[in-house]
Amino acid sequence: MSAPVITVDGPSGSGKGSLCQMLANSLGWHLLDSGALYRIVGLAAVKKDVSFTDEGALAELAAELDVEFKAGESGEPAAVFLDGEDISRQIRHEDSGTYASRVAVYNAVRDALKVLQRSFARAPGLIADGRDMGTVIFPDAQLKIYLTASAQERADRRYKQLINKGHNVNLAALLEDIKARDERDMNREVAPLKPASDAIIIDSTSMAIDDVFNQVIADFKKSS
Ligand code: DC
């Protein structure tokens, strides 16, 4: 029997990363941060001077990835290793999110990452974080969550996170960036961001992350 999977999809900044980390820690399950895979492909493209319009070369990069995730302490994102090198900080940069969103529009890139993503489903279970986890990668998942929040709220959260880390950021620019990413992720032809027909939709605009977590755990118990 294949390992159980909980999928968590939604737009950037909706709190998916924190929620997935909490779920993985609390259930003792594996974690797939699929956005990190697209970020790595985007970063690799910049490093190797591969054009964002060269679908074939980008797909080759995606097919050759040697990645590993290590769950972080509670509240911290998972550490990501590429060819054994810890690239966790580089891929979290705002630019890497934009690169990721640009390479993610290509069918060949998405196909190249499919088998790798499915290989993360191992006992005792998997928490899968992304945009198409419930719709394309794990359509038979035991529980599907679609986590969203208003663009303004997502920009505010990101702003606070970055300010707390000592970065100098502009809220209006962050909001524009989030809107542009939503537009690209939701309107692309291949695997656009949308809730699976059997997903539970949670709007976290005025919810604390602990309340989101408790609701998902309650939904998980019901689905077991
Ligand atoms: O979740 P994130 O912000 O790390 O994702 C970065 C980008 O990668 C996102 O804007 C779109 C793309 N992505 C995707 O197309 N499909 C996924 N399953 C995960 C991310």
Side-chain angles (χ1 to χ4, degrees):
M1 215 185 82
S2 54
V5 177
I6 298 177
T7 60
V8 182
D9 291 303
S12 61
S14 59
K16 286 176 299 140
S18 306
L19 172 64
C20 288
Q21 191 66 59
M22 290 166 84
L23 290 170
N25 286 344
S26 129
L27 297 173
W29 286 13
H30 301 283
L31 176 65
L32 166 62
D33 175 0
S34 62
L37 299 180
Y38 290 95
R39 286 169 183 262
I40 292 169
V41 176
L43 252 188
V46 171
K47 286 186 176 177
K48 297 183 181 178
D49 223 7
V50 170
S51 161
F52 280 127
T53 58
D54 189 343
E55 178 169 2
L58 292 170
E60 253 175 60
L61 280 183
E64 288 165 3
L65 292 184
D66 171 14
V67 284
E68 193 190 346
F69 294 97
K70 290 193 181 149
E73 301 297 312
S74 50
E76 286 296 309
V80 185
F81 292 79
L82 175 65
D83 296 324
E85 182 198 355
D86 186 347
I87 54 157
S88 318
R89 286 171 64 98
Q90 286 180 63
I91 60 160
R92 288 300 141 215
H93 199 273
E94 293 302 306
D95 289 347
S96 298
T98 301
Y99 303 151
S101 178
R102 291 186 65 186
V103 301
V105 300
Y106 295 117
N107 202 12
V109 171
R110 306 196 71 85
D111 262 356
L113 294 178
K114 232 177 227 174
V115 174
L116 174 62
Q117 292 178 85
R118 289 185 177 145
S119 74
F120 280 76
R122 285 179 303 231
L126 176 71
I127 310 296
D129 170 342
R131 302 289 189 291
D132 61 343
M133 297 295 98
T135 50
V136 176
I137 305 297
F138 300 110
D140 299 325
Q142 173 178 338
L143 178 67
K144 299 179 184 179
I145 303 295
Y146 186 87
L147 185 62
T148 187
S150 72
Q152 184 66 55
E153 173 65 19
R154 289 183 282 131
D156 285 345
R157 286 179 192 166
R158 188 79 189 118
Y159 180 76
K160 282 181 199 142
Q161 270 176 0
L162 291 169
I163 291 288
N164 283 339
K165 283 188 192 161
H167 295 279
N168 186 10
V169 280
N170 176 294
L171 180 58
L174 274 179
L175 181 60
E176 279 319 300
D177 193 50
I178 278 189
K179 285 184 178 166
R181 198 114 74 84
D182 282 358
E183 170 71 21
R184 202 180 298 121
D185 294 349
M186 291 173 179
N187 296 312
R188 68 183 174 219
E189 278 175 30
V190 197
L193 170 63
K194 62 173 184 193
S197 56
D198 50 352
I200 295 172
I201 299 177
I202 302 177
D203 184 337
S204 74
T205 304
S206 45
M207 281 172 91
I209 188 69
D210 284 347
D211 297 331
V212 175
F213 170 74
N214 288 334
Q215 181 182 330
V216 174
I217 289 291
D219 290 331
F220 171 62
K221 286 185 181 151
K222 272 188 236 156
S223 73
S224 299

